[in-house]
Coordinates of all heavy atoms in Angstrom, one line a residue:
M1 N -60.2 20.5 -73.6 CA -58.8 20.4 -73.5 C -58.3 19.5 -72.4 O -58.8 19.6 -71.3 CB -58.3 21.8 -73.2 CG -56.8 21.9 -73.1 SD -56.2 23.5 -73.1 CE -56.3 23.9 -71.3
T2 N -57.5 18.5 -72.7 CA -57.0 17.5 -71.8 C -55.5 17.8 -71.6 O -54.8 17.8 -72.5 CB -57.2 16.1 -72.2 OG1 -58.7 15.9 -72.4 CG2 -56.7 15.0 -71.2
L3 N -55.2 18.0 -70.3 CA -53.7 18.2 -70.0 C -53.1 16.9 -69.6 O -53.9 15.9 -69.3 CB -53.6 19.2 -68.9 CG -54.2 20.7 -69.2 CD1 -54.0 21.5 -68.0 CD2 -53.4 21.2 -70.4
K4 N -51.8 16.8 -69.6 CA -51.2 15.5 -69.3 C -51.5 15.0 -67.9 O -51.7 13.8 -67.7 CB -49.6 15.7 -69.4 CG -48.9 14.4 -69.3 CD -47.7 14.4 -70.0 CE -46.8 13.2 -69.8 NZ -47.3 12.1 -70.6
F5 N -51.6 15.9 -66.9 CA -52.0 15.4 -65.5 C -53.4 14.9 -65.4 O -53.7 14.1 -64.4 CB -51.7 16.4 -64.5 CG -52.6 17.6 -64.5 CD1 -53.8 17.5 -63.8 CD2 -52.5 18.6 -65.2 CE1 -54.7 18.5 -63.7 CE2 -53.3 19.7 -65.3 CZ -54.4 19.7 -64.5
M6 N -54.2 15.1 -66.5 CA -55.6 14.7 -66.4 C -55.7 13.2 -67.0 O -56.7 12.6 -66.8 CB -56.4 15.5 -67.2 CG -56.7 16.9 -66.7 SD -57.6 17.8 -67.8 CE -57.7 19.3 -67.0
E7 N -54.6 12.7 -67.6 CA -54.7 11.3 -68.1 C -54.6 10.3 -67.1 O -53.8 10.6 -66.1 CB -53.7 11.1 -69.2 CG -53.8 12.1 -70.4 CD -52.6 12.1 -71.3 OE1 -51.7 11.3 -71.0 OE2 -52.6 12.9 -72.2
Q8 N -55.3 9.2 -67.2 CA -55.2 8.2 -66.2 C -53.9 7.4 -66.4 O -53.6 7.1 -67.6 CB -56.4 7.2 -66.2 CG -57.6 8.0 -65.6 CD -58.7 7.0 -65.3 OE1 -58.7 5.9 -65.8 NE2 -59.6 7.4 -64.5
L9 N -53.2 6.9 -65.4 CA -52.0 6.1 -65.6 C -52.5 4.6 -66.0 O -53.6 4.3 -65.6 CB -51.2 6.1 -64.4 CG -50.7 7.4 -64.0 CD1 -50.0 7.3 -62.6 CD2 -49.6 7.9 -65.0
P10 N -51.6 3.9 -66.7 CA -52.0 2.6 -67.0 C -52.1 1.7 -65.8 O -51.4 1.9 -64.7 CB -51.0 2.0 -67.9 CG -49.8 3.0 -67.6 CD -50.4 4.3 -67.3
L11 N -52.9 0.7 -65.8 CA -53.2 -0.2 -64.7 C -51.8 -1.1 -64.5 O -51.3 -1.5 -65.5 CB -54.3 -1.3 -64.9 CG -55.7 -0.6 -64.6 CD1 -56.7 -1.7 -65.0 CD2 -55.9 -0.2 -63.2
R12 N -51.4 -1.3 -63.2 CA -50.2 -2.0 -63.0 C -50.4 -3.1 -62.0 O -50.4 -2.9 -60.7 CB -49.1 -1.1 -62.4 CG -48.6 0.0 -63.3 CD -47.5 -0.5 -64.4 NE -46.4 -1.2 -63.8 CZ -45.3 -0.8 -63.4 NH1 -45.0 0.5 -63.4 NH2 -44.4 -1.6 -62.9
P13 N -51.0 -4.2 -62.4 CA -51.4 -5.3 -61.4 C -50.2 -5.8 -60.6 O -50.3 -6.4 -59.6 CB -52.1 -6.4 -62.4 CG -51.6 -6.1 -63.6 CD -51.3 -4.6 -63.8
D14 N -49.0 -5.7 -61.2 CA -47.8 -6.2 -60.4 C -47.5 -5.4 -59.2 O -46.7 -5.9 -58.4 CB -46.6 -6.2 -61.4 CG -46.3 -4.8 -62.1 OD1 -47.2 -4.1 -62.3 OD2 -45.1 -4.5 -62.3
L15 N -48.1 -4.2 -59.0 CA -47.8 -3.3 -57.8 C -49.0 -3.5 -56.9 O -48.8 -2.8 -55.9 CB -47.7 -1.9 -58.3 CG -46.6 -1.5 -59.3 CD1 -46.6 -0.1 -59.6 CD2 -45.2 -1.8 -58.7
V16 N -49.9 -4.3 -57.1 CA -51.1 -4.4 -56.2 C -51.2 -5.8 -55.5 O -51.1 -6.8 -56.2 CB -52.4 -4.1 -57.0 CG1 -53.6 -4.2 -56.1 CG2 -52.3 -2.7 -57.7
A17 N -51.6 -5.8 -54.3 CA -51.9 -7.0 -53.6 C -53.3 -7.1 -53.4 O -54.1 -6.1 -53.2 CB -51.2 -7.0 -52.2
C18 N -53.9 -8.3 -53.4 CA -55.3 -8.5 -53.3 C -55.7 -8.0 -51.9 O -55.2 -8.5 -50.9 CB -55.6 -10.0 -53.5 SG -57.3 -10.5 -53.1
P19 N -56.8 -7.3 -51.8 CA -57.2 -6.8 -50.4 C -58.0 -7.8 -49.7 O -58.3 -7.7 -48.6 CB -58.1 -5.6 -50.8 CG -58.6 -5.9 -52.2 CD -57.5 -6.6 -52.9
Y20 N -58.4 -9.0 -50.4 CA -59.1 -10.0 -49.8 C -58.2 -11.1 -49.2 O -58.3 -11.5 -48.1 CB -60.2 -10.6 -50.7 CG -61.1 -9.5 -51.2 CD1 -61.0 -9.1 -52.4 CD2 -62.1 -9.1 -50.3 CE1 -62.0 -8.1 -52.9 CE2 -62.9 -8.1 -50.8 CZ -62.9 -7.6 -52.0 OH -63.8 -6.6 -52.5
C21 N -57.3 -11.7 -50.1 CA -56.4 -12.8 -49.6 C -55.0 -12.4 -49.4 O -54.2 -13.2 -48.8 CB -56.6 -14.0 -50.5 SG -55.9 -13.7 -52.2
G22 N -54.6 -11.3 -49.9 CA -53.2 -10.8 -49.7 C -52.2 -11.2 -50.7 O -51.1 -11.0 -50.6
A23 N -52.6 -12.0 -51.7 CA -51.8 -12.5 -52.7 C -51.3 -11.3 -53.5 O -52.1 -10.5 -54.0 CB -52.5 -13.6 -53.6
D24 N -50.0 -11.2 -53.7 CA -49.4 -10.1 -54.5 C -48.8 -10.5 -55.7 O -48.5 -9.7 -56.7 CB -48.4 -9.3 -53.6 CG -47.2 -10.2 -53.2 OD1 -47.3 -11.4 -53.4 OD2 -46.3 -9.6 -52.7
D25 N -48.7 -11.8 -56.1 CA -48.1 -12.3 -57.3 C -49.1 -12.9 -58.3 O -48.8 -13.3 -59.3 CB -47.0 -13.3 -57.0 CG -47.6 -14.5 -56.3 OD1 -48.7 -14.4 -55.6 OD2 -46.9 -15.5 -56.2
R26 N -50.5 -12.8 -58.0 CA -51.4 -13.5 -58.8 C -52.6 -12.5 -59.3 O -53.7 -12.9 -59.4 CB -52.0 -14.7 -58.0 CG -51.0 -15.7 -57.5 CD -51.0 -17.1 -58.0 NE -51.9 -17.4 -58.9 CZ -52.8 -18.4 -58.8 NH1 -53.0 -19.0 -57.6 NH2 -53.6 -18.8 -59.7
T27 N -52.2 -11.3 -59.3 CA -53.3 -10.2 -59.7 C -53.1 -10.0 -61.2 O -52.1 -10.0 -61.7 CB -53.1 -9.0 -58.9 OG1 -51.9 -8.5 -58.9 CG2 -53.5 -9.3 -57.5
G28 N -54.3 -9.7 -61.9 CA -54.2 -9.3 -63.2 C -55.4 -8.4 -63.5 O -56.1 -8.0 -62.7
I29 N -55.4 -7.9 -64.7 CA -56.4 -6.9 -65.2 C -57.8 -7.6 -65.6 O -57.8 -8.5 -66.3 CB -55.9 -6.1 -66.3 CG1 -54.7 -5.3 -65.9 CG2 -57.0 -5.1 -66.9 CD1 -54.0 -4.6 -67.0
H30 N -58.8 -7.2 -64.9 CA -60.1 -7.7 -65.2 C -60.9 -6.9 -66.1 O -61.5 -7.3 -67.1 CB -60.9 -7.9 -63.8 CG -62.4 -8.3 -64.0 ND1 -62.6 -9.7 -64.4 CD2 -63.5 -7.8 -63.9 CE1 -63.8 -9.9 -64.5 NE2 -64.4 -8.7 -64.2
S31 N -60.9 -5.5 -65.9 CA -61.6 -4.7 -66.9 C -60.8 -3.3 -66.9 O -60.7 -2.6 -65.9 CB -63.0 -4.4 -66.4 OG -63.6 -3.3 -67.2
R32 N -60.2 -3.0 -68.0 CA -59.5 -1.7 -68.2 C -60.5 -0.4 -68.1 O -60.1 0.4 -67.3 CB -58.8 -1.6 -69.5 CG -57.5 -2.5 -69.5 CD -56.7 -2.2 -70.8 NE -55.8 -3.4 -71.0 CZ -54.6 -3.5 -70.5 NH1 -54.2 -2.5 -69.7 NH2 -53.9 -4.5 -70.6
P33 N -61.7 -0.4 -68.7 CA -62.5 0.8 -68.6 C -63.0 1.1 -67.2 O -63.1 2.3 -66.8 CB -63.7 0.5 -69.6 CG -63.2 -0.5 -70.4 CD -62.1 -1.4 -69.7
E34 N -63.3 0.0 -66.4 CA -63.7 0.2 -65.1 C -62.5 0.2 -64.1 O -62.8 0.4 -62.9 CB -64.7 -1.0 -64.7 CG -65.9 -1.0 -65.5 CD -66.8 -2.1 -65.1 OE1 -66.5 -2.9 -64.2 OE2 -67.9 -2.3 -65.8
R35 N -61.4 0.0 -64.6 CA -60.1 -0.1 -63.7 C -60.3 -1.1 -62.7 O -60.1 -0.8 -61.4 CB -59.8 1.3 -63.2 CG -59.6 2.3 -64.4 CD -58.9 3.6 -64.1 NE -57.6 3.5 -63.6 CZ -56.5 3.5 -64.3 NH1 -56.6 3.5 -65.6 NH2 -55.3 3.4 -63.7
R36 N -60.6 -2.3 -63.0 CA -60.9 -3.3 -62.0 C -59.8 -4.4 -62.2 O -59.3 -4.7 -63.3 CB -62.2 -4.0 -62.0 CG -63.3 -3.0 -61.7 CD -64.7 -3.7 -61.5 NE -64.6 -4.8 -60.5 CZ -64.8 -4.4 -59.2 NH1 -64.9 -3.2 -58.7 NH2 -64.9 -5.3 -58.3
L37 N -59.3 -5.0 -61.1 CA -58.3 -6.1 -61.1 C -58.9 -7.3 -60.6 O -59.9 -7.4 -60.1 CB -57.2 -5.6 -60.2 CG -56.4 -4.4 -60.6 CD1 -55.6 -3.8 -59.5 CD2 -55.6 -4.5 -61.9
I38 N -58.2 -8.4 -61.0 CA -58.7 -9.8 -60.5 C -57.6 -10.5 -59.8 O -56.5 -10.3 -60.2 CB -59.4 -10.6 -61.6 CG1 -59.9 -11.9 -61.2 CG2 -58.3 -10.9 -62.7 CD1 -60.7 -12.7 -62.2
C39 N -57.9 -11.2 -58.7 CA -57.0 -12.0 -58.1 C -57.2 -13.4 -58.5 O -58.3 -14.0 -58.4 CB -57.3 -12.0 -56.6 SG -56.1 -13.1 -55.6
H40 N -56.2 -14.0 -59.1 CA -56.3 -15.3 -59.6 C -56.2 -16.5 -58.5 O -56.5 -17.6 -58.7 CB -55.2 -15.6 -60.7 CG -55.5 -14.9 -61.9 ND1 -56.5 -15.0 -62.8 CD2 -54.8 -13.7 -62.4 CE1 -56.5 -14.1 -63.7 NE2 -55.5 -13.3 -63.5
A41 N -55.9 -16.0 -57.3 CA -55.8 -16.9 -56.2 C -57.1 -17.2 -55.6 O -57.6 -18.4 -55.3 CB -54.8 -16.4 -55.1
C42 N -57.9 -16.1 -55.3 CA -59.2 -16.2 -54.6 C -60.4 -16.0 -55.6 O -61.6 -16.0 -55.3 CB -59.4 -15.3 -53.4 SG -59.3 -13.6 -53.8
K43 N -60.0 -15.6 -56.9 CA -61.1 -15.4 -58.0 C -62.0 -14.2 -57.7 O -63.1 -14.1 -58.2 CB -61.9 -16.6 -58.3 CG -61.0 -17.8 -58.6 CD -60.4 -17.8 -59.9 CE -59.8 -19.1 -60.1 NZ -58.5 -19.0 -60.9
R44 N -61.5 -13.2 -56.9 CA -62.5 -12.1 -56.6 C -61.8 -10.9 -57.4 O -60.6 -10.7 -57.6 CB -62.4 -11.7 -55.2 CG -63.1 -12.8 -54.4 CD -63.2 -12.5 -53.0 NE -64.2 -11.5 -52.6 CZ -64.5 -11.2 -51.4 NH1 -64.0 -11.6 -50.4 NH2 -65.5 -10.3 -51.3
T45 N -62.7 -9.9 -57.9 CA -62.3 -8.7 -58.5 C -62.4 -7.5 -57.5 O -63.2 -7.6 -56.6 CB -63.2 -8.4 -59.8 OG1 -64.6 -8.2 -59.4 CG2 -63.2 -9.6 -60.7
F46 N -61.6 -6.6 -57.7 CA -61.6 -5.3 -57.0 C -61.1 -4.1 -57.8 O -60.4 -4.3 -58.7 CB -60.8 -5.6 -55.6 CG -59.3 -6.0 -56.0 CD1 -58.3 -5.1 -56.0 CD2 -59.0 -7.4 -56.2 CE1 -57.0 -5.4 -56.4 CE2 -57.7 -7.7 -56.5 CZ -56.7 -6.8 -56.5
A47 N -61.5 -3.0 -57.2 CA -61.2 -1.6 -57.8 C -59.7 -1.5 -57.4 O -59.2 -1.9 -56.4 CB -62.0 -0.6 -57.4
E48 N -59.0 -0.6 -58.2 CA -57.6 -0.3 -58.0 C -57.5 0.6 -56.7 O -56.4 0.5 -56.1 CB -56.9 0.3 -59.1 CG -57.4 1.7 -59.4 CD -56.6 2.4 -60.6 OE1 -55.6 2.1 -60.8 OE2 -57.3 3.3 -61.1
T49 N -58.5 1.3 -56.3 CA -58.5 2.1 -55.1 C -59.1 1.4 -53.9 O -59.2 2.1 -52.9 CB -59.3 3.4 -55.5 OG1 -60.6 3.1 -55.8 CG2 -58.6 4.2 -56.5
K50 N -59.4 0.2 -54.0 CA -60.0 -0.5 -52.8 C -59.0 -0.5 -51.6 O -57.8 -0.7 -51.7 CB -60.2 -2.0 -53.1 CG -60.7 -2.9 -52.0 CD -62.2 -2.7 -51.8 CE -62.6 -3.7 -50.8 NZ -64.0 -3.4 -50.4
G51 N -59.5 0.0 -50.5 CA -58.7 0.1 -49.2 C -58.0 1.4 -49.1 O -57.2 1.6 -48.3
T52 N -58.3 2.4 -49.9 CA -57.7 3.8 -49.9 C -58.8 4.7 -49.7 O -60.0 4.4 -49.8 CB -56.9 4.0 -51.2 OG1 -57.9 4.3 -52.2 CG2 -56.0 3.0 -51.7
P53 N -58.4 5.9 -49.2 CA -59.4 7.0 -49.1 C -60.1 7.3 -50.4 O -61.1 8.0 -50.3 CB -58.7 8.1 -48.5 CG -57.4 7.5 -47.9 CD -57.1 6.4 -48.7
L54 N -59.6 7.0 -51.5 CA -60.1 7.4 -52.8 C -61.1 6.4 -53.3 O -61.7 6.5 -54.4 CB -59.0 7.5 -53.9 CG -57.9 8.6 -53.5 CD1 -56.7 8.5 -54.6 CD2 -58.5 9.9 -53.5
Y55 N -61.4 5.3 -52.5 CA -62.3 4.3 -53.0 C -63.8 4.8 -53.0 O -64.2 5.4 -52.0 CB -62.1 3.0 -52.0 CG -63.1 1.9 -52.5 CD1 -62.8 1.1 -53.6 CD2 -64.2 1.6 -51.7 CE1 -63.7 0.2 -54.0 CE2 -65.1 0.6 -52.1 CZ -64.9 -0.1 -53.2 OH -65.6 -1.2 -53.5
G56 N -64.4 4.5 -53.9 CA -65.9 4.9 -54.1 C -66.1 6.3 -54.5 O -67.3 6.7 -54.5
L57 N -65.1 7.2 -54.8 CA -65.4 8.5 -55.4 C -65.9 8.5 -56.8 O -65.5 7.5 -57.6 CB -64.1 9.2 -55.3 CG -63.5 9.6 -53.9 CD1 -62.2 10.3 -54.1 CD2 -64.5 10.3 -53.1
H58 N -66.7 9.5 -57.1 CA -67.3 9.6 -58.4 C -66.6 10.6 -59.3 O -67.1 11.0 -60.2 CB -68.8 9.7 -58.4 CG -69.5 8.6 -57.7 ND1 -69.8 7.4 -58.4 CD2 -70.0 8.5 -56.4 CE1 -70.4 6.6 -57.5 NE2 -70.6 7.2 -56.4
Y59 N -65.4 10.9 -58.8 CA -64.6 11.9 -59.6 C -63.3 11.3 -59.9 O -62.8 10.4 -59.2 CB -64.5 13.3 -58.7 CG -65.7 13.9 -58.3 CD1 -66.3 13.8 -57.1 CD2 -66.2 14.8 -59.2 CE1 -67.4 14.5 -56.8 CE2 -67.5 15.5 -59.0 CZ -68.0 15.4 -57.7 OH -69.1 16.0 -57.4
P60 N -62.7 11.9 -61.0 CA -61.3 11.4 -61.3 C -60.4 11.8 -60.2 O -60.5 12.7 -59.5 CB -61.0 12.1 -62.6 CG -62.3 12.5 -63.1 CD -63.2 12.7 -62.0
I61 N -59.3 11.0 -60.0 CA -58.4 11.2 -59.0 C -57.7 12.5 -59.1 O -57.4 13.2 -58.1 CB -57.3 10.1 -59.0 CG1 -58.0 8.8 -58.6 CG2 -56.2 10.4 -58.0 CD1 -57.2 7.6 -58.7
W62 N -57.5 13.0 -60.3 CA -56.8 14.3 -60.6 C -57.6 15.4 -60.0 O -57.2 16.5 -59.5 CB -56.4 14.6 -61.9 CG -57.6 14.8 -62.9 CD1 -58.2 13.8 -63.6 CD2 -58.2 16.1 -63.2 NE1 -59.3 14.5 -64.4 CE2 -59.2 15.8 -64.1 CE3 -58.1 17.4 -62.8 CZ2 -60.0 16.8 -64.7 CZ3 -58.8 18.3 -63.3 CH2 -59.8 18.1 -64.2
V63 N -59.0 15.3 -60.1 CA -60.0 16.4 -59.5 C -59.7 16.4 -58.0 O -59.6 17.6 -57.4 CB -61.4 16.2 -59.9 CG1 -62.3 17.1 -59.1 CG2 -61.6 16.3 -61.4
V64 N -59.7 15.3 -57.3 CA -59.6 15.3 -55.9 C -58.3 15.9 -55.4 O -58.2 16.6 -54.5 CB -59.8 13.9 -55.3 CG1 -59.6 13.8 -53.8 CG2 -61.2 13.3 -55.7
V65 N -57.3 15.5 -56.1 CA -55.9 15.9 -55.7 C -55.8 17.4 -56.0 O -55.2 18.1 -55.2 CB -54.8 15.2 -56.6 CG1 -53.5 15.8 -56.4 CG2 -54.8 13.7 -56.3
M66 N -56.3 17.8 -57.1 CA -56.3 19.3 -57.4 C -57.1 20.2 -56.3 O -56.6 21.2 -55.8 CB -56.8 19.7 -58.7 CG -56.8 21.2 -59.1 SD -57.3 21.5 -60.6 CE -56.1 20.9 -61.8
V67 N -58.3 19.6 -55.9 CA -59.1 20.4 -54.9 C -58.3 20.4 -53.6 O -58.2 21.4 -52.8 CB -60.5 19.9 -54.9 CG1 -61.2 20.4 -53.6 CG2 -61.2 20.1 -56.1
L68 N -57.8 19.2 -53.2 CA -57.1 19.2 -51.9 C -56.0 20.0 -51.8 O -55.6 20.7 -50.9 CB -56.8 17.7 -51.5 CG -57.9 16.8 -51.2 CD1 -57.4 15.3 -51.1 CD2 -58.6 17.3 -50.0
T69 N -55.2 20.2 -53.0 CA -54.0 21.0 -53.0 C -54.4 22.5 -52.9 O -53.7 23.3 -52.2 CB -53.3 20.8 -54.4 OG1 -52.9 19.4 -54.4 CG2 -52.0 21.7 -54.5
L70 N -55.5 22.9 -53.7 CA -55.9 24.3 -53.6 C -56.4 24.6 -52.2 O -56.2 25.7 -51.7 CB -57.0 24.5 -54.7 CG -56.6 24.6 -56.1 CD1 -57.8 24.5 -57.0 CD2 -55.7 25.7 -56.4
L71 N -57.1 23.7 -51.6 CA -57.6 23.9 -50.2 C -56.4 24.1 -49.2 O -56.4 24.9 -48.3 CB -58.6 22.8 -49.7 CG -59.9 22.8 -50.4 CD1 -60.7 21.6 -50.0 CD2 -60.7 24.1 -50.0
A72 N -55.4 23.2 -49.5 CA -54.2 23.3 -48.6 C -53.5 24.7 -48.7 O -52.9 25.1 -47.7 CB -53.2 22.2 -49.0
F73 N -53.6 25.3 -49.8 CA -52.9 26.5 -50.0 C -53.9 27.7 -49.6 O -53.6 28.8 -50.1 CB -52.3 26.7 -51.5 CG -51.0 25.9 -51.6 CD1 -51.0 24.8 -52.2 CD2 -49.9 26.5 -51.1 CE1 -49.9 24.0 -52.4 CE2 -48.6 25.8 -51.3 CZ -48.7 24.6 -52.0
G74 N -55.0 27.5 -49.1 CA -55.9 28.5 -48.7 C -57.0 29.0 -49.6 O -57.6 30.0 -49.4
C75 N -57.2 28.4 -50.7 CA -58.2 28.7 -51.7 C -59.5 28.4 -51.1 O -59.7 27.2 -50.7 CB -57.9 28.0 -53.0 SG -59.0 28.4 -54.3
P76 N -60.4 29.3 -51.2 CA -61.8 28.9 -50.7 C -62.5 27.9 -51.6 O -62.2 27.7 -52.7 CB -62.6 30.2 -50.8 CG -61.8 31.0 -51.7 CD -60.4 30.6 -51.7
L77 N -63.4 27.2 -51.0 CA -64.1 26.1 -51.7 C -64.8 26.5 -52.9 O -64.7 25.9 -54.0 CB -65.2 25.4 -50.7 CG -65.9 24.2 -51.2 CD1 -64.9 23.1 -51.6 CD2 -66.9 23.7 -50.3
Q78 N -65.3 27.7 -53.0 CA -66.0 28.3 -54.2 C -65.0 28.4 -55.2 O -65.3 28.1 -56.5 CB -66.7 29.6 -53.9 CG -68.0 29.4 -53.0 CD -67.6 29.4 -51.6 OE1 -66.4 29.6 -51.2 NE2 -68.6 29.1 -50.8
G79 N -63.8 28.8 -55.0 CA -62.7 29.0 -56.0 C -62.2 27.6 -56.5 O -62.0 27.5 -57.7
C80 N -62.2 26.7 -55.7 CA -61.8 25.3 -56.1 C -62.8 24.7 -57.0 O -62.5 24.1 -58.0 CB -61.7 24.3 -54.8 SG -60.3 24.8 -53.7
C81 N -64.1 24.9 -56.7 CA -65.2 24.4 -57.6 C -65.2 25.1 -59.0 O -65.5 24.5 -59.9 CB -66.4 24.6 -56.8 SG -66.7 23.4 -55.4
K82 N -64.9 26.4 -58.9 CA -64.8 27.1 -60.2 C -63.6 26.6 -61.0 O -63.8 26.4 -62.3 CB -64.5 28.6 -59.8 CG -64.6 29.6 -61.0 CD -66.0 29.7 -61.4 CE -66.1 31.0 -62.4 NZ -67.4 31.1 -62.8
V83 N -62.5 26.2 -60.4 CA -61.4 25.7 -61.2 C -61.7 24.4 -61.9 O -61.4 24.3 -63.0 CB -60.1 25.7 -60.2 CG1 -59.0 24.9 -61.0 CG2 -59.6 27.0 -59.8
V84 N -62.3 23.5 -61.2 CA -62.7 22.2 -61.8 C -64.0 22.1 -62.3 O -64.5 21.1 -62.7 CB -62.5 21.1 -60.7 CG1 -61.0 21.0 -60.2 CG2 -63.4 21.4 -59.5
R85 N -64.7 23.3 -62.5 CA -66.0 23.4 -63.2 C -67.0 22.5 -62.5 O -67.7 21.8 -63.1 CB -65.8 23.1 -64.6 CG -65.0 24.2 -65.3 CD -65.0 23.9 -66.8 NE -64.0 24.9 -67.3 CZ -63.4 24.7 -68.5 NH1 -63.5 23.6 -69.2 NH2 -62.6 25.8 -69.0
R86 N -67.2 22.6 -61.2 CA -68.2 21.9 -60.5 C -69.0 22.8 -59.7 O -68.5 23.9 -59.4 CB -67.7 20.9 -59.5 CG -66.6 19.9 -60.1 CD -67.5 18.7 -60.7 NE -66.5 17.7 -61.1 CZ -66.6 17.0 -62.2 NH1 -67.7 17.1 -62.9 NH2 -65.7 16.1 -62.6
A87 N -70.3 22.5 -59.4 CA -71.1 23.4 -58.6 C -70.6 23.4 -57.2 O -70.1 22.4 -56.7 CB -72.6 22.9 -58.6
P88 N -70.7 24.5 -56.4 CA -70.1 24.6 -55.1 C -70.9 23.6 -54.2 O -70.2 23.0 -53.3 CB -70.5 26.1 -54.6 CG -70.6 26.8 -55.9 CD -71.0 25.9 -56.9
R89 N -72.1 23.3 -54.4 CA -72.8 22.3 -53.6 C -72.1 20.8 -53.7 O -72.0 20.1 -52.8 CB -74.2 22.1 -53.9 CG -75.0 23.4 -53.2 CD -76.4 23.2 -53.4 NE -76.7 23.8 -54.7 CZ -77.7 23.6 -55.4 NH1 -78.7 22.7 -55.0 NH2 -77.8 24.3 -56.5
S90 N -71.7 20.5 -54.9 CA -71.1 19.2 -55.2 C -69.6 19.2 -54.6 O -69.1 18.2 -54.4 CB -71.0 18.8 -56.6 OG -70.1 19.8 -57.4
G91 N -69.0 20.3 -54.4 CA -67.7 20.4 -53.8 C -67.7 19.9 -52.4 O -66.6 19.5 -51.9
R92 N -68.8 20.0 -51.6 CA -68.7 19.5 -50.2 C -68.6 18.0 -50.3 O -68.3 17.5 -49.2 CB -70.1 20.1 -49.6 CG -70.1 21.5 -49.3 CD -71.4 21.9 -48.5 NE -71.7 23.2 -48.8 CZ -72.8 23.6 -49.3 NH1 -73.8 22.8 -49.4 NH2 -73.0 24.9 -49.6
R93 N -69.1 17.4 -51.3 CA -69.0 15.8 -51.3 C -67.7 15.4 -51.8 O -67.4 14.2 -51.7 CB -70.0 15.3 -52.2 CG -71.5 15.6 -51.6 CD -72.4 14.9 -52.5 NE -72.5 15.3 -53.9 CZ -73.5 16.0 -54.4 NH1 -74.6 16.2 -53.7 NH2 -73.4 16.4 -55.6
L94 N -66.7 16.2 -52.2 CA -65.4 15.9 -52.6 C -64.7 15.4 -51.4 O -64.1 14.5 -51.3 CB -64.7 16.9 -53.3 CG -65.1 17.3 -54.7 CD1 -64.3 18.5 -55.2 CD2 -65.0 16.2 -55.7

């Protein structure tokens, strides 16, 4: 079952600046499945989360947001892992 908040938003290259050269008007989509963008000024590719705390995570963004929200409201880590169907040991790496 997939709920609406689990769906990934479409890539918006017009809202992203290149983390390498800073160009904000020359970015485009490089790969939709990998969610990578390309800077046409410096010809480098980068992930949409480059330069954010979410960069390099192996979980969908909605999982991280849900776990952080549950933890903020006092839910124990074991309960958070049960909600997102992950093992409690993998929850420490979120």
Side-chain angles (χ1 to χ4, degrees):
M1 179 170 85
T2 301
L3 300 176
K4 185 152 180 75
F5 71 89
M6 294 178 180
E7 297 173 2
Q8 289 190 344
L9 298 173
L11 284 173
R12 297 279 310 269
D14 54 328
L15 300 177
V16 179
C18 175
Y20 300 107
C21 70
D24 59 352
D25 59 340
R26 308 241 4 237
T27 55
I29 296 174
H30 179 68
S31 172
R32 286 186 198 277
E34 295 178 8
R35 300 192 66 86
R36 294 191 64 78
L37 301 165
I38 186 168
C39 175
H40 295 290
C42 67
K43 306 290 187 219
R44 294 181 77 176
T45 64
F46 54 94
E48 68 175 335
T49 56
K50 176 80 173 172
T52 70
L54 300 174
Y55 180 71
L57 293 180
H58 296 281
Y59 294 100
I61 294 173
W62 70 267
V63 171
V64 177
V65 170
M66 181 180 288
V67 169
L68 290 175
T69 303
L70 290 170
L71 288 172
F73 282 100
C75 185
L77 183 59
Q78 291 81 10
C80 296
C81 292
K82 187 76 167 177
V83 168
V84 294
R85 297 184 180 152
R86 304 278 185 213
R89 281 184 274 157
S90 67
R92 290 187 206 123
R93 292 188 298 248
L94 289 177

